[in-house]
Protein backbone atom coordinates (compact mmCIF):
# COMPACT_ATOMS: atom_id res chain seq x y z
CA UNK A 1 0.00 0.00 0.00
CA UNK A 2 2.79 2.43 0.86
CA UNK A 3 4.29 1.84 -2.56
CA UNK A 4 0.97 2.75 -4.18
CA UNK A 5 0.70 5.93 -2.10
CA UNK A 6 4.25 7.01 -2.94
CA UNK A 7 3.62 6.35 -6.62
CA UNK A 8 0.98 9.11 -6.51
CA UNK A 9 3.05 11.59 -4.50
CA UNK A 10 5.90 11.87 -7.00
CA UNK A 11 7.45 15.19 -7.93
CA UNK A 12 6.17 14.81 -11.49
CA UNK A 13 2.57 14.29 -10.37
CA UNK A 14 2.69 17.12 -7.83
CA UNK A 15 4.05 19.54 -10.42
CA UNK A 16 1.34 18.39 -12.82
CA UNK A 17 -1.32 19.18 -10.20
CA UNK A 18 0.40 22.48 -9.40
CA UNK A 19 -0.03 23.56 -13.01
CA UNK A 20 -3.74 22.83 -12.63
CA UNK A 21 -3.88 24.79 -9.37
CA UNK A 22 -2.38 27.79 -11.14
CA UNK A 23 -5.19 27.59 -13.70
CA UNK A 24 -7.77 27.35 -10.92
CA UNK A 25 -6.36 30.51 -9.37
CA UNK A 26 -6.43 32.18 -12.79
CA UNK A 27 -10.06 31.25 -13.42
CA UNK A 28 -11.21 32.09 -9.91
CA UNK A 29 -9.27 35.36 -9.77
CA UNK A 30 -10.45 36.54 -13.19
CA UNK A 31 -14.04 35.60 -12.37
CA UNK A 32 -13.96 37.40 -9.02
CA UNK A 33 -12.65 40.67 -10.46
CA UNK A 34 -14.98 40.69 -13.47
CA UNK A 35 -18.02 39.57 -11.48
CA UNK A 36 -17.62 42.29 -8.86
CA UNK A 37 -17.32 45.00 -11.53
CA UNK A 38 -20.25 43.73 -13.60
CA UNK A 39 -22.28 42.81 -10.52
CA UNK A 40 -21.97 46.38 -9.20
CA UNK A 41 -23.36 47.73 -12.47
CA UNK A 42 -26.28 45.29 -12.45
CA UNK A 43 -27.03 45.97 -8.78
CA UNK A 44 -27.09 49.73 -9.36
CA UNK A 45 -29.34 49.35 -12.38
CA UNK A 46 -31.74 47.06 -10.54
CA UNK A 47 -31.80 49.22 -7.42
CA UNK A 48 -32.04 52.68 -8.93
CA UNK A 49 -33.38 52.30 -12.48
CA UNK A 50 -37.10 51.75 -13.02
CA UNK A 51 -36.87 51.78 -16.80
CA UNK A 52 -35.70 49.35 -19.47
CA UNK A 53 -32.20 48.86 -18.10
CA UNK A 54 -33.44 48.09 -14.62
CA UNK A 55 -35.85 45.48 -15.96
CA UNK A 56 -33.13 44.00 -18.17
CA UNK A 57 -30.77 43.75 -15.20
CA UNK A 58 -33.48 42.06 -13.12
CA UNK A 59 -34.20 39.58 -15.92
CA UNK A 60 -30.51 38.72 -16.32
CA UNK A 61 -30.07 38.16 -12.60
CA UNK A 62 -33.17 35.99 -12.24
CA UNK A 63 -32.39 33.85 -15.30
CA UNK A 64 -28.78 33.20 -14.32
CA UNK A 65 -29.52 32.59 -10.63
CA UNK A 66 -32.19 30.02 -11.44
CA UNK A 67 -30.29 27.90 -13.97
CA UNK A 68 -27.43 25.46 -13.30
CA UNK A 69 -23.87 26.68 -13.76
CA UNK A 70 -22.94 23.55 -15.72
CA UNK A 71 -25.40 24.48 -18.48
CA UNK A 72 -23.65 27.79 -19.03
CA UNK A 73 -20.24 26.14 -19.01
CA UNK A 74 -21.36 23.62 -21.63
CA UNK A 75 -23.18 26.24 -23.70
CA UNK A 76 -20.33 28.75 -23.80
CA UNK A 77 -17.77 26.03 -24.51
CA UNK A 78 -19.57 24.22 -27.33
CA UNK A 79 -22.03 26.75 -28.78
CA UNK A 80 -19.77 29.81 -29.11
CA UNK A 81 -16.47 30.46 -30.92
CA UNK A 82 -14.80 31.56 -27.70
CA UNK A 83 -11.43 29.78 -27.22
CA UNK A 84 -11.44 27.07 -24.52
CA UNK A 85 -9.19 29.05 -22.17
CA UNK A 86 -11.52 32.04 -22.12
CA UNK A 87 -14.76 30.10 -22.32
CA UNK A 88 -14.19 29.10 -18.71
CA UNK A 89 -13.74 32.71 -17.61
CA UNK A 90 -16.79 33.87 -19.59
CA UNK A 91 -19.13 31.13 -18.35
CA UNK A 92 -18.11 31.50 -14.72
CA UNK A 93 -18.31 35.29 -14.91
CA UNK A 94 -21.78 35.27 -16.50
CA UNK A 95 -23.09 33.05 -13.71
CA UNK A 96 -21.28 34.52 -10.71
CA UNK A 97 -22.08 38.09 -11.75
CA UNK A 98 -25.76 37.43 -11.08
CA UNK A 99 -25.00 36.09 -7.59
CA UNK A 100 -22.68 38.94 -6.67
CA UNK A 101 -25.14 41.50 -8.05
CA UNK A 102 -27.72 40.30 -5.54
CA UNK A 103 -25.18 40.48 -2.71
CA UNK A 104 -24.35 44.07 -3.66
CA UNK A 105 -28.04 44.93 -4.09
CA UNK A 106 -28.64 43.69 -0.55
CA UNK A 107 -25.92 46.03 0.67
CA UNK A 108 -27.37 48.94 -1.26
CA UNK A 109 -30.77 48.25 0.26
CA UNK A 110 -29.27 48.67 3.72
CA UNK A 111 -28.06 52.22 3.03
CA UNK A 112 -30.51 54.79 4.52
CA UNK A 113 -32.16 57.04 1.94
CA UNK A 114 -31.08 59.95 4.09
CA UNK A 115 -27.57 59.46 2.68
CA UNK A 116 -28.83 60.72 -0.67
CA UNK A 117 -30.50 63.71 0.93
CA UNK A 118 -27.35 64.54 2.84
CA UNK A 119 -25.26 64.26 -0.32
CA UNK A 120 -27.62 66.42 -2.33
CA UNK A 121 -27.56 69.03 0.41
CA UNK A 122 -23.78 69.25 -0.06
CA UNK A 123 -24.16 69.82 -3.79
CA UNK A 124 -23.37 66.26 -4.90
CA UNK A 125 -25.05 64.85 -7.98
CA UNK A 126 -26.80 61.47 -7.86
CA UNK A 127 -23.77 59.72 -9.38
CA UNK A 128 -21.40 61.47 -6.98
CA UNK A 129 -23.51 60.35 -4.03
CA UNK A 130 -23.29 56.78 -5.30
CA UNK A 131 -19.55 56.96 -5.91
CA UNK A 132 -18.38 58.72 -2.78
CA UNK A 133 -21.02 57.85 -0.18
CA UNK A 134 -23.31 54.93 -0.99
CA UNK A 135 -21.08 52.42 -2.78
CA UNK A 136 -18.17 52.62 -0.26
CA UNK A 137 -20.60 52.05 2.64
CA UNK A 138 -22.23 49.21 0.75
CA UNK A 139 -18.98 47.36 0.15
CA UNK A 140 -17.88 47.73 3.75
CA UNK A 141 -21.09 46.03 4.86
CA UNK A 142 -20.98 43.16 2.35
CA UNK A 143 -17.31 42.16 2.58
CA UNK A 144 -18.07 38.97 4.58
CA UNK A 145 -20.74 37.89 2.09
CA UNK A 146 -18.43 38.66 -0.84
CA UNK A 147 -15.63 36.64 0.74
CA UNK A 148 -17.95 33.68 1.19
CA UNK A 149 -18.91 33.93 -2.49
CA UNK A 150 -15.20 33.89 -3.36
CA UNK A 151 -15.04 30.50 -1.64
CA UNK A 152 -17.93 29.32 -3.79
CA UNK A 153 -16.23 30.58 -6.96
CA UNK A 154 -13.07 28.64 -6.16
CA UNK A 155 -15.15 25.48 -5.79
CA UNK A 156 -17.33 26.25 -8.81
CA UNK A 157 -14.24 26.43 -11.02
CA UNK A 158 -13.92 22.64 -10.60
CA UNK A 159 -16.93 22.24 -12.95
CA UNK A 160 -14.70 23.30 -15.82
CA UNK A 161 -13.13 19.86 -16.01
CA UNK A 162 -16.42 18.67 -17.55
CA UNK A 163 -15.47 20.51 -20.76
CA UNK A 164 -11.85 19.33 -20.74
CA UNK A 165 -10.41 22.51 -19.25
CA UNK A 166 -7.37 21.40 -17.30
CA UNK A 167 -7.68 23.29 -14.04
CA UNK A 168 -6.90 21.56 -10.73
CA UNK A 169 -9.74 19.04 -10.83
CA UNK A 170 -9.18 18.44 -14.54
CA UNK A 171 -5.52 17.63 -13.94
CA UNK A 172 -6.58 15.31 -11.14
CA UNK A 173 -8.97 13.46 -13.44
CA UNK A 174 -6.17 13.00 -15.97
CA UNK A 175 -3.95 11.50 -13.29
CA UNK A 176 -6.83 9.33 -12.14
CA UNK A 177 -6.76 7.51 -15.45
CA UNK A 178 -3.17 6.43 -14.82
CA UNK A 179 -3.88 4.63 -11.55
CA UNK A 180 -5.60 1.33 -10.95
CA UNK A 181 -5.36 0.45 -7.27
CA UNK A 182 -7.79 1.66 -4.62
CA UNK A 183 -4.95 3.08 -2.54
CA UNK A 184 -3.72 5.19 -5.45
CA UNK A 185 -7.16 6.55 -6.27
CA UNK A 186 -7.91 7.29 -2.60
CA UNK A 187 -4.56 9.06 -2.17
CA UNK A 188 -5.18 11.28 -5.17
CA UNK A 189 -8.69 12.15 -4.02
CA UNK A 190 -7.41 12.88 -0.51
CA UNK A 191 -4.67 15.11 -1.88
CA UNK A 192 -7.11 17.08 -4.03
CA UNK A 193 -9.56 17.41 -1.15
CA UNK A 194 -6.78 18.63 1.15
CA UNK A 195 -5.77 21.35 -1.31
CA UNK A 196 -9.33 22.60 -1.76
CA UNK A 197 -9.92 22.45 2.00
CA UNK A 198 -6.78 24.45 2.75
CA UNK A 199 -7.67 27.20 0.29
CA UNK A 200 -11.28 27.44 1.42
CA UNK A 201 -10.43 27.19 5.12
CA UNK A 202 -8.08 30.15 4.81
CA UNK A 203 -10.76 32.11 2.98
CA UNK A 204 -13.40 31.20 5.57
CA UNK A 205 -11.00 32.37 8.28
CA UNK A 206 -10.84 35.68 6.44
CA UNK A 207 -14.66 35.83 6.54
CA UNK A 208 -14.65 35.37 10.30
CA UNK A 209 -11.87 37.89 10.81
CA UNK A 210 -13.60 40.51 8.67
CA UNK A 211 -16.89 39.86 10.45
CA UNK A 212 -15.16 40.48 13.77
CA UNK A 213 -13.80 43.79 12.46
CA UNK A 214 -17.27 44.90 11.41
CA UNK A 215 -18.54 44.15 14.91
CA UNK A 216 -20.83 41.22 14.16
CA UNK A 217 -20.61 37.47 13.98
CA UNK A 218 -20.73 35.73 10.59
CA UNK A 219 -24.29 34.89 9.61
CA UNK A 220 -25.38 31.60 8.10
CA UNK A 221 -25.53 33.40 4.74
CA UNK A 222 -21.97 34.69 5.12
CA UNK A 223 -20.59 31.23 5.74
CA UNK A 224 -22.94 29.24 3.50
CA UNK A 225 -20.19 28.66 0.96
CA UNK A 226 -18.06 26.88 3.55
CA UNK A 227 -20.60 24.09 3.96
CA UNK A 228 -22.06 24.11 0.45
Amino acid sequence: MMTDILSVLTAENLLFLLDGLKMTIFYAGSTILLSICLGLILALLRSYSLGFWGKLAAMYIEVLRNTPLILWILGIRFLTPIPPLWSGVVSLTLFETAIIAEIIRGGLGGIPKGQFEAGHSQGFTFLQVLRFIVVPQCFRSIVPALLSQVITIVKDSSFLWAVAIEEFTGKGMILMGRFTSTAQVFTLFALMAAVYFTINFLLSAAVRRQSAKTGRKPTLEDLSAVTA
Side-chain angles (χ1 to χ4, degrees):
M1 177 178 289
M2 184 57 64
T3 302
D4 287 341
I5 293 175
L6 293 177
S7 69
V8 175
L9 303 177
T10 63
E12 180 182 1
N13 290 340
L14 295 178
L15 288 174
F16 187 73
L17 288 173
L18 180 60
D19 287 338
L21 183 58
K22 292 176 182 178
M23 293 306 299
T24 290
I25 294 172
F26 165 75
Y27 283 116
S30 300
T31 298
I32 291 163
L33 292 176
L34 291 172
S35 297
I36 290 176
C37 293
L38 296 175
L40 174 60
I41 295 173
L42 288 178
L44 291 173
L45 288 174
R46 190 171 187 185
S47 297
Y48 301 117
S49 174
L50 300 177
F52 170 78
W53 293 109
K55 294 178 181 178
L56 186 62
M59 181 182 300
Y60 175 91
I61 291 171
E62 292 304 321
V63 169
L64 271 292
R65 288 179 65 225
N66 292 287
T67 51
L69 170 59
I70 191 65
L71 291 182
W72 295 98
I73 292 175
L74 293 170
I76 297 298
R77 175 65 181 87
F78 296 118
L79 300 179
T80 71
I82 300 174
L85 175 66
W86 293 105
S87 69
V89 174
V90 171
S91 56
L92 285 173
T93 298
L94 285 175
F95 184 84
E96 302 296 344
T97 291
I99 309 299
I100 289 180
E102 283 298 274
I103 293 174
I104 297 175
R105 191 168 75 97
L108 292 172
I111 304 298
K113 293 183 179 180
Q115 297 291 328
F116 286 94
E117 297 173 0
H120 292 323
S121 69
Q122 298 299 315
F124 286 2
T125 65
F126 178 77
L127 291 179
Q128 287 175 327
V129 172
L130 287 178
R131 179 182 176 185
F132 297 111
I133 300 176
V134 173
V135 171
Q137 290 185 59
C138 168
F139 272 90
R140 280 195 294 271
S141 68
I142 65 172
V143 165
L146 278 180
L147 286 175
S148 71
Q149 188 59 30
V150 167
I151 296 172
T152 297
I153 291 173
V154 172
K155 294 189 290 186
D156 283 350
S157 67
S158 63
F159 285 110
L160 296 176
W161 79 270
V163 291
I165 293 178
E166 295 182 8
E167 43 69 65
F168 186 65
T169 299
K171 292 285 190 181
M173 293 299 103
I174 292 173
L175 285 181
M176 194 74 65
R178 303 176 185 176
F179 302 128
T180 56
S181 74
T182 301
Q184 289 173 319
V185 172
F186 178 83
T187 300
L188 181 58
F189 269 125
L191 177 60
M192 294 169 62
V195 171
Y196 277 116
F197 173 81
T198 300
I199 294 173
N200 292 326
F201 179 81
L202 292 175
L203 290 172
S204 65
V207 173
R208 291 190 292 270
R209 184 165 57 251
Q210 182 60 35
S211 297
K213 289 181 179 179
T214 59
R216 66 180 179 86
K217 295 181 179 179
T219 64
L220 183 59
E221 180 183 358
D222 293 336
L223 297 175
S224 60
V226 180
T227 57

